[in-house]
Amino acid sequence: MSLSFVVSKSDPTGARRGRLTTPHGTVETPFFMPVGTQASVKALTQEALEDLGAEIILANTYHLYLRPGHETVRKLGGLHQFMSWPHAILTDSGGFQVFSLSELRKITDEGVCFRSHLDGAEHLLTPEKAAEIQLALGSDIAMVLDECIETPAPRDRAEAALKRTSEWAKRARNYFHECAQRNGDLQQWQFGIVQGATFTDLRRESARQLLELDFPGYAVGGLAVGEPHEITCEMTAEVAALLPRDRLRYLMGVGRPEQIADYVALGIDMMDCVLPTRAARHACLYTSEGRVLIKNARYAQDQRPIDPKCTCSVCRRYSRAYLRHLFAAGEITSAILATHHNVHFYLDIMRQIREAIEFGNLANFSSEMHARYAEGPA
Ligand SMILES: [Zn+2]
């Protein structure tokens, strides 16, 4: 089965409802991808992810390239088989981690030279190499290598990164097409990444240049890195307006629970963020009434579930008092239960958003979420 994407319905806000079909199952859009950095969503087993109804996860190319190595994964049958996840997987290009984690790094037109954060060994990541690694991993969706820059970035820096990102995208696309010519259908989609920092004209220019390469999907990168939410939305809207209706739109690295519907309303189909899993390990729980900081003393004798409205297996069984105790005692079960709930909460938001689009009332859902999160924790 090859890949396809169909938009089935639009909301007055501009939100889209659709379905992505992959060789590893279908994914209802818009969707949120839990982040499985090391081929593992921290604190969750693949069984748990299936119980939660996750249809797609994200895995990090940078980490899997360094350990256990993409050739090892290829020999073991690819990432799906290696991690026993028969559902869809998106891999990033590795660029973001190279720029943020590794001891850098020399960026040239050829690629980016960096030292591994694990053992200091030197590596060269090129657009072709990033594509090659992701083909070896066998993900359903692969991202092209882009140049990530600091924020806020001066205009000349943003312009240079845009130019390089476009050149790298062209090389990645050529490499991908050459592989397809040699090997037939690669059973993978390759997405381009729009850059341009916080300059609307650069965002438009970046989108225009990538559109020439005819990607099946386009990501908006380099946002949600510290700029105000309004700017993230403004840049996203600028790009989304230029993208073809029949291609997937991916806003990378977002977002907070109350912001998700805002991005969907701008026409975004897919998102990913470490927030639900990372916050869970730091005892921050997301609920229908706002955030619950479970370590707070006020929960010590609270027999209610984390979220009385939540239907997840953790809320059906355990109390706030018990979860608070687990965190206080440093039990690893605290991370497991908290992560389970938070990922359920995010996937449930997406279910509600998809339903709201079907009924044409996403705007109501969005304002309710903002109101609840403005009021603070229950
Ligand atoms: Zn729950």
Side-chain angles (χ1 to χ4, degrees):
M1 194 200 300
S2 56
L3 289 122
S4 65
F5 171 59
V6 179
V7 176
S8 56
K9 185 141 190 172
S10 296
D11 177 270
T13 60
R16 303 125 57 82
R17 173 84 177 85
R19 179 175 290 162
L20 163 68
T21 303
T22 79
H24 299 94
T26 58
V27 188
E28 298 300 321
T29 74
F31 60 82
F32 176 85
M33 294 177 279
V35 177
T37 302
Q38 314 261 14
S40 165
V41 176
K42 291 188 198 307
L44 291 183
T45 61
Q46 277 67 298
E47 290 91 323
L49 284 166
E50 285 171 350
D51 289 346
L52 287 163
E55 295 174 321
I56 181 168
I57 59 166
L58 178 148
N60 283 127
T61 292
Y62 170 86
H63 290 282
L64 297 172
Y65 162 67
L66 292 180
R67 181 178 58 194
H70 59 294
E71 285 303 338
T72 297
V73 174
R74 190 209 298 267
K75 282 184 197 127
L76 292 168
L79 192 51
H80 295 87
Q81 190 166 336
F82 175 56
M83 66 180 288
S84 186
W85 177 254
H87 316 288
I89 300 175
L90 177 144
T91 44
D92 60 9
S93 69
F96 185 77
Q97 280 73 28
V98 166
F99 287 94
S100 61
L101 276 185
S102 68
E103 255 186 71
L104 264 181
R105 87 235 155 187
K106 206 166 156 259
I107 307 159
T108 63
D109 289 339
E110 173 64 11
V112 48
C113 195
F114 67 96
R115 283 187 186 280
S116 158
H117 76 290
L118 297 174
D119 60 7
E122 211 171 82
H123 299 267
L124 174 67
L125 188 64
T126 64
E128 293 83 2
K129 184 79 184 176
E132 178 201 327
I133 296 168
Q134 293 176 84
L135 280 169
L137 295 174
S139 53
D140 301 279
I141 297 175
M143 305 303 298
V144 297
L145 183 66
D146 58 337
E147 184 178 357
C148 309
I149 55 172
E150 70 287 347
T151 331
R155 189 177 171 94
D156 57 341
R157 178 102 177 82
E159 273 175 358
L162 188 168
K163 185 163 175 280
R164 186 169 275 147
T165 292
S166 290
E167 280 160 11
W168 284 1
K170 200 175 207 171
R171 279 166 54 190
R173 199 76 187 124
N174 285 341
Y175 179 87
F176 189 85
H177 284 320
E178 282 163 23
C179 288
Q181 263 171 5
R182 269 200 311 275
N183 305 315
D185 185 1
L186 299 175
Q187 306 271 299
Q188 184 184 71
W189 262 356
Q190 185 186 48
F191 282 14
I193 306 177
V194 175
Q195 288 289 352
T198 50
F199 303 96
T200 48
D201 60 323
L202 296 188
R203 285 279 166 189
R204 286 195 298 270
E205 183 55 31
S206 177
R208 274 195 287 269
Q209 291 180 12
L210 289 177
L211 282 170
E212 287 173 17
L213 301 175
D214 194 26
F215 287 101
Y218 295 87
V220 186
L223 290 178
V225 286
E227 79 281 0
H229 177 57
E230 295 70 35
I231 300 287
T232 316
C233 288
E234 187 191 344
M235 296 301 133
T236 303
E238 203 69 51
V239 174
L242 293 177
L243 298 178
R245 193 182 131 78
D246 62 346
R247 306 293 162 94
L248 279 155
R249 303 163 184 174
Y250 170 23
L251 182 56
M252 306 177 86
V254 296
R256 296 160 61 93
E258 72 276 22
Q259 297 171 342
I260 299 268
D262 298 341
Y263 302 133
V264 170
L266 295 172
I268 292 299
D269 306 302
M270 46 198 288
M271 288 159 278
D272 77 282
C273 192
V274 294
L275 198 59
T277 44
R278 182 176 289 165
R281 299 195 300 281
H282 291 94
C284 172
L285 304 166
Y286 295 107
T287 78
S288 57
E289 301 298 325
R291 292 191 316 162
V292 168
L293 305 174
I294 197 69
K295 277 188 181 173
N296 197 308
R298 76 164 103 162
Y299 302 120
Q301 299 191 31
D302 192 335
Q303 290 185 302
R304 291 175 296 168
I306 299 166
D307 183 350
K309 288 189 189 141
C310 180
T311 57
C312 89
S313 58
V314 175
C315 288
R316 284 205 308 265
R317 183 159 191 165
Y318 303 102
S319 68
R320 292 177 178 184
Y322 179 61
L323 205 57
R324 179 179 183 274
H325 159 72
L326 292 180
F327 271 105
E331 286 293 322
I332 56 173
T333 310
S334 60
I336 295 168
L337 298 183
T339 305
H340 193 100
H341 166 80
N342 272 3
V343 171
H344 180 274
F345 183 72
Y346 264 69
L347 296 178
D348 198 51
I349 287 179
M350 298 314 300
R351 277 187 282 269
Q352 291 179 57
I353 285 176
R354 290 193 294 267
E355 199 178 282
I357 298 171
E358 296 282 358
F359 289 100
N361 59 5
L362 183 66
N364 289 346
F365 176 84
S366 176
S367 50
E368 274 173 34
M369 280 295 289
H370 275 285
R372 281 181 209 149
Y373 272 74
E375 282 163 15

